[in-house]
């Protein structure tokens, strides 16, 4: 393999694992091992819905998971005391999900973690390195989104 490609592959994999490990560690210490990274992403999604919260369908769509999976995660988080559910005032068939006080604390801590991580990385780079990193990550993100869409189309075409 080309030395650059090998180094790039290793760096991407190492970075992904390191971010995941630090995020999991932060969540364990912050929540007393009560929240997984997937669960905190549900809280983040619900918190992004503002004071009215989100519907279960909104959560499923934003996180790109099935509605039954979203329902199961929401029920689990409700039992843990991080979310509450209430029927929609406009359509009784729809359920709105909102963060509890504990859910807001966890979601805020998660946002803080990401903000600190970005600040720490930016703090060790000059302007040129920052611009190059953003340009490279934007291209990586575009490529990954394109591949994800391609995979989704392939699954739909094959009936999966």
């Amino acid at each position: 393999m080309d030395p650059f490609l090998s180094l790039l592959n290793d760096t991407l994999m190492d970075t992904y694992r390191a971010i995941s490990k630090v995020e999991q560690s932060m969540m364990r210490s912050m929540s007393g091992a009560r929240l997984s990274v997937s669960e905190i992403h549900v809280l983040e999604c619900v918190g992004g819905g503002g004071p009215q919260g989100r519907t279960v369908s909104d959560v499923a769509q934003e996180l790109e998971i099935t509605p039954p999976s979203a329902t199961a995660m929401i029920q689990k988080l409700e039992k843990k005391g991080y979310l509450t559910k209430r029927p929609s005032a406009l359509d009784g068939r729809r359920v709105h999900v909102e963060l509890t006080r504990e859910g807001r604390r966890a979601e805020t801590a998660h946002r803080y973690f990401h903000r600190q991580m970005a600040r720490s990385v930016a703090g060790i780079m000059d302007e040129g390195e920052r611009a190059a990193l953003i340009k490279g990550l934007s291209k990586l993100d575009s490529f990954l989104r394109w591949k994800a869409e391609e995979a989704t189309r392939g699954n739909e075409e094959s009936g999966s």
Side-chain angles (χ1 to χ4, degrees):
M1 181 185 273
D2 175 302
F4 173 77
L5 295 179
S6 181
L7 178 60
L8 177 62
N9 182 65
D10 291 348
T11 302
L12 287 171
M13 296 305 297
D14 291 346
T15 301
Y16 174 79
R17 282 191 292 266
I19 290 171
S20 294
K21 191 174 190 175
V22 170
E23 190 171 35
Q24 287 171 355
S25 175
M26 185 274 304
M27 290 313 306
R28 271 195 298 273
S29 67
M30 190 273 319
S31 71
R34 293 185 64 211
L35 289 171
S36 68
V37 173
S38 296
E39 289 171 333
I40 195 65
H41 289 155
V42 171
L43 297 181
E44 183 178 45
C45 175
V46 171
Q52 74 277 6
R54 300 271 176 131
T55 65
V56 175
S57 297
D58 293 338
V59 172
Q61 186 173 13
E62 184 170 322
L63 297 179
E64 298 179 0
I65 59 177
T66 65
S69 294
T71 298
M73 290 188 81
I74 288 166
Q75 287 173 341
K76 191 173 181 182
L77 287 164
E78 185 179 30
K79 286 180 185 172
K80 290 182 177 185
Y82 290 96
L83 295 176
T84 59
K85 295 186 294 191
R86 65 172 171 73
S88 170
L90 301 174
D91 181 352
R93 296 169 296 174
R94 297 176 64 92
V95 175
H96 285 269
V97 183
E98 300 168 343
L99 297 174
T100 62
R101 183 176 179 178
E102 190 69 22
R104 280 191 302 281
R105 284 182 43 210
E107 194 268 337
T108 299
H110 185 248
R111 270 189 290 117
Y112 178 77
F113 160 75
H114 280 280
R115 201 167 41 250
Q116 289 304 108
M117 181 175 59
R119 278 190 185 130
S120 295
V121 171
I124 60 172
M125 297 180 161
D126 63 35
E127 286 302 315
E129 290 169 324
R130 288 178 182 186
L133 179 62
I134 294 300
K135 184 176 181 178
L137 288 175
S138 293
K139 288 182 177 188
L140 175 62
D141 181 59
S142 293
F143 169 77
L144 293 172
R145 287 178 189 272
W146 172 69
K147 292 304 277 183
E149 288 174 15
E150 187 178 79
T152 300
R153 280 192 306 276
N155 288 339
E156 289 170 355
E157 291 170 3
S158 69
S160 298

